[in-house]
């Protein structure tokens, strides 16, 4: 898997979320550099878990859609004397 890369704007937003979390939940202030380092750690060490969960969820959705499409196609069949 390619490393997870974020744009500068995405990085700033994530760093802000980390800083907010530390301030609100832990009553601690964390600077932008440590917050960005923490973001990098999570992206490197745990990003694949979140990415894979997204892939699994997408596979399940695709499977449901394909099943529905198959049902819709069978519904289009016209009656004949020939049995499948």
């Amino acid at each position: 898997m390619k490393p997870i890369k974020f744009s500068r704007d995405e990085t700033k937003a994530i760093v802000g979320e980390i800083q907010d979390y530390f301030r609100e939940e832990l009553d601690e202030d964390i600077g932008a550099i440590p917050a960005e380092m923490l973001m990098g750690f999570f992206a490197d060490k745990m990003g694949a878990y979140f990415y894979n969960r997204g892939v699994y969820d997408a596979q399940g959705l695709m499977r449901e859609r394909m099943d529905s499409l198959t049902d819709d196609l069978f519904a289009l069949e016209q009656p004949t004397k020939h049995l499948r």
Side-chain angles (χ1 to χ4, degrees):
M1 183 176 113
K2 294 187 326 189
I4 297 171
K5 299 287 184 191
F6 296 103
S7 71
R8 191 72 207 138
D9 287 341
E10 290 170 324
T11 298
K12 282 176 64 174
I14 295 167
V15 164
E17 293 286 346
I18 292 169
Q19 289 175 309
D20 290 346
Y21 176 81
F22 268 72
R23 189 172 32 262
E24 294 167 11
E25 300 296 327
L26 304 174
D27 201 25
E28 293 284 333
D29 285 327
I30 183 173
I33 293 173
E36 191 167 342
M37 291 173 66
L38 184 60
M39 181 195 84
F41 168 78
F42 277 102
D44 291 343
K45 302 297 181 185
M46 286 160 243
Y49 293 101
F50 289 95
Y51 179 87
N52 289 347
R53 173 54 46 206
V55 169
Y56 302 150
D57 290 348
Q59 287 172 336
L61 179 63
M62 288 297 296
R63 205 171 8 262
E64 288 174 16
R65 295 284 169 97
M66 290 303 293
D67 289 344
S68 177
L69 182 59
T70 299
D71 292 344
D72 291 344
L73 289 173
F74 280 125
L76 295 174
E77 284 187 357
Q78 298 294 316
T80 65
K81 292 182 181 181
H82 172 71
L83 299 176
R84 283 201 258 166

